[in-house]
């Protein structure tokens, strides 16, 4: 007796069957074959999502919060994610790492995985051995969209003597230092994003540099100087985030730093400055942005996202969405706070979207990895 041809089921029946499954199971069912993919509704849950790390530092399940409909759900445990820590996210993929320095890209919806090099080229020419890649030294990592085993590029802000850039791409067997003589007074990179085939990085001075890794050797271009920033930014210490709109406009989001105090009152106004890079006949310059219109920017440890909120119920335009991890220590131990907050630029205040606090007494070992929530846009590629 021949096996039944499940691909020949009527499309309306397939669509009805898929609606009976929980959201976490709909993506793999739809990815079974072309017939099922075309018959079933492509919507999993409106993106963007917020990836919520486990409080114990050991990632077991994949828990997400869909911001547009404020609905949270948990995907079944993936063997490749258990015991791993996320150090970056972009276009439906995570960068995951473990304590044995295994680093890879993982699509948590499809299970597809791409292994990255586990060694870094030595900085000193007198060294002949490679350094082991150390995930806890990663400040941030981003990578090209829709990566494959044979076509990917990744760049990380990595702490050596300072926060420097390292990169790898398909065909490379190691991470290499991404050097440039364009910046002033050392690298000290603050944030990095990938957009339209290039990597953009901002330094502590406010300089923006673009890197193109598509050729044999990296191509480096100065996009914006730091001149003029001091005159438009209020005094204080700021966390700096770089974002890019869908049309290619570059933005700087500056959030007043609170190094030692957790934000007990999330509705209290804090200093947030948003700048847009404007091009003139002389040279590009930064201008303060008062209104983003229907656009909002999602920043944090993942690749920054710009969205149009016009057709997204549950999300507001003219806002900055921030995912972060804050910690404070005392004689009793460490308080770890994972938060996602929204800054309404018109109202000038923060609103809390998600908050999780975990206290670790001194008797307990502090985890090597402390990961914040991550913005995530689902992809079946």
């Amino acid at each position: 007796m021949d096996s039944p041809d499940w691909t020949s089921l009527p499309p309306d029946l397939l669509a009805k069957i898929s609606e009976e499954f929980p959201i976490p199971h709909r993506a793999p069912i739809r990815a079974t074959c072309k017939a099922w993919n075309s018959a079933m509704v492509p919507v999993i849950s409106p993106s963007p999502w917020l990836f919520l790390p486990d409080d114990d530092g050991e990632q077991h399940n994949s828990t997400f919060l869909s911001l547009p409909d404020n609905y949270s759900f948990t995907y079944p445990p993936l063997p490749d994610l258990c015991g791993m820590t996320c150090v970056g996210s972009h276009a439906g993929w995570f960068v995951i790492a473990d304590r044995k320095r295994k680093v890879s890209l993982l699509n948590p919806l499809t299970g597809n995985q791409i292994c990255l090099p586990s060694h870094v080229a030595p900085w000193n020419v007198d060294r002949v051995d490679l350094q082991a890649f150390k995930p806890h030294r990663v400040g941030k990592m981003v990578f090209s969209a829709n990566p494959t085993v044979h076509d990917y590029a990744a760049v990380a802000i990595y702490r050596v003597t300072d926060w420097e850039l390292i990169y790898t791409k398909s065909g490379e067997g190691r991470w290499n230092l991404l050097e440039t003589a364009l910046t002033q007074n050392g690298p000290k990179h603050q944030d990095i994003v990938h957009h339209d085939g290039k990597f953009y990085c901002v330094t502590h001075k406010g300089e923006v540099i673009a890197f193109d890794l598509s050729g044999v050797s990296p191509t480096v271009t100065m996009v914006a100087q730091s001149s003029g920033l001091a005159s438009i930014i209020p005094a204080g210490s700021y966390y700096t985030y770089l974002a890019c709109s869908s049309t290619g406009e570059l933005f700087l989001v500056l959030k007043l730093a609170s190094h030692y105090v957790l934000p007990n009152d999330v509705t209290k106004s804090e200093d947030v400055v948003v700048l847009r890079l404007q091009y003139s006949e002389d040279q590009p310059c930064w201008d303060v942005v008062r209104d983003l219109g229907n656009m909002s920017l999602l920043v944090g440890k993942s690749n920054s996202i710009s969205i149009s909120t016009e057709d997204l119920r549950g999300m507001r335009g003219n806002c900055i969405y921030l995912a972060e991890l804050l910690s404070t220590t005392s004689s009793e131990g460490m308080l770890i706070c994972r938060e996602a907050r929204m800054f309404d630029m018109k109202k000038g205040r923060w609103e809390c979207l998600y908050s999780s606090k975990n206290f670790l007494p001194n008797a307990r070992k502090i985890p090597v990895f402390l990961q914040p929530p991550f913005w995530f846009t689902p992809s079946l590629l």
Side-chain angles (χ1 to χ4, degrees):
M1 183 176 177
D2 295 333
S3 300
D5 182 9
W6 296 106
T7 63
S8 62
L9 288 174
D12 55 344
L13 178 59
L14 284 171
K16 198 68 178 177
I17 292 174
S18 68
E19 293 174 0
E20 300 300 318
F21 282 87
I23 286 178
H25 297 125
R26 295 183 192 176
I29 292 174
R30 189 168 178 264
T32 301
C33 64
K34 290 183 178 180
W36 289 25
N37 182 77
S38 60
M40 296 181 184
V41 179
V43 175
I44 305 171
S45 190
S47 67
W49 296 355
L50 182 67
F51 173 64
L52 309 177
D54 287 349
D55 286 336
D56 61 5
E58 296 288 340
Q59 199 62 49
H60 302 290
N61 296 319
S62 299
T63 303
F64 298 93
L65 170 66
S66 172
L67 267 66
D69 56 13
N70 195 32
Y71 176 72
S72 63
F73 46 90
T74 301
Y75 276 75
L78 284 173
D80 293 322
L81 196 57
C82 292
M84 305 292 286
T85 296
C86 294
V87 295
S89 173
H90 181 204
W93 291 71
F94 288 147
V95 186
I96 59 174
D98 65 6
R99 288 171 176 79
K100 295 182 180 179
R101 301 181 177 91
K102 176 187 175 184
V103 188
S104 59
L105 305 180
L106 174 71
N107 186 324
L109 303 191
T110 65
N112 293 337
Q113 191 168 2
I114 301 170
C115 293
L116 301 183
S118 58
H119 291 88
V120 180
W123 317 121
N124 191 328
V125 295
D126 296 331
R127 292 274 306 273
V128 294
D129 59 322
L130 296 177
Q131 302 176 7
F133 183 88
K134 298 178 179 179
H136 64 275
R137 290 188 179 180
V138 176
K140 183 171 182 177
M141 187 186 297
V142 298
F143 46 92
S144 52
N146 304 327
T148 67
V149 174
H150 303 292
D151 186 14
Y152 70 85
V155 177
I157 300 177
Y158 193 78
R159 191 177 187 95
V160 188
T161 56
D162 211 325
W163 291 109
E164 302 178 77
L165 293 181
I166 60 173
Y167 77 95
T168 189
K169 58 182 182 178
S170 46
E172 298 274 351
R174 64 186 186 183
W175 293 86
N176 299 286
L177 181 64
L178 193 52
E179 297 181 283
T180 174
L182 297 179
T183 57
Q184 303 174 4
N185 304 321
K188 295 184 180 178
H189 300 287
Q190 298 289 305
D191 196 24
I192 188 167
V193 297
H194 178 270
H195 176 76
D196 198 24
K198 291 184 179 180
F199 295 87
Y200 295 85
C201 184
V202 60
T203 70
H204 70 299
K205 294 288 186 179
E207 302 152 321
V208 177
I209 307 104
F211 298 91
D212 188 342
L213 302 180
S214 60
V216 176
S217 300
T219 302
V220 185
T221 306
M222 176 66 76
V223 176
Q225 302 279 357
S226 59
S227 57
L229 273 179
S231 62
I232 59 177
I233 300 176
S237 179
Y238 289 86
Y239 294 119
T240 305
Y241 301 96
L242 185 62
C244 197
S245 72
S246 58
T247 58
E249 288 183 301
L250 282 173
F251 293 85
L252 279 183
V253 178
L254 306 175
K255 171 189 170 291
L256 189 66
S258 300
H259 293 285
Y260 306 107
V261 181
L262 291 176
N264 295 318
D265 182 5
V266 296
T267 64
K268 184 179 180 181
S269 177
E270 291 185 25
D271 287 338
V272 173
V273 181
V274 180
L275 308 175
R276 179 193 282 113
L277 188 64
Q278 301 282 10
Y279 292 90
S280 63
E281 294 181 359
D282 298 329
Q283 65 176 10
C285 60
W286 295 104
D287 284 343
V288 176
V289 178
R290 306 294 183 188
D291 192 340
L292 291 169
N294 290 325
M295 183 176 68
S296 284
L297 302 175
L298 286 70
V299 298
K301 285 291 185 181
S302 48
N303 195 74
S304 298
I305 302 171
S306 67
I307 59 170
S308 172
T309 59
E310 196 167 5
D311 298 321
L312 280 178
R313 58 184 176 86
M315 297 198 71
R316 271 187 252 166
N318 196 30
C319 291
I320 304 298
Y321 288 79
L322 172 65
E324 61 183 343
L325 179 144
L326 300 169
S327 63
T328 184
T329 56
S330 65
S331 58
E332 290 79 20
M334 174 182 285
L335 178 63
I336 301 169
C337 181
R338 296 180 177 90
E339 288 199 343
R341 298 186 288 160
M342 177 190 68
F343 185 79
D344 190 310
M345 293 182 61
K346 182 178 181 180
K347 297 178 180 178
R349 69 181 188 186
W350 288 100
E351 295 181 26
C352 184
L353 305 173
Y354 166 81
S355 181
S356 172
K357 294 180 175 64
N358 186 25
F359 181 75
L360 300 177
N362 284 330
R364 289 183 56 185
K365 184 178 179 181
I366 303 299
V368 176
F369 299 111
L370 295 176
Q371 60 179 353
F374 282 93
W375 304 119
F376 182 78
T377 50
S379 171
L380 296 179
L381 297 177

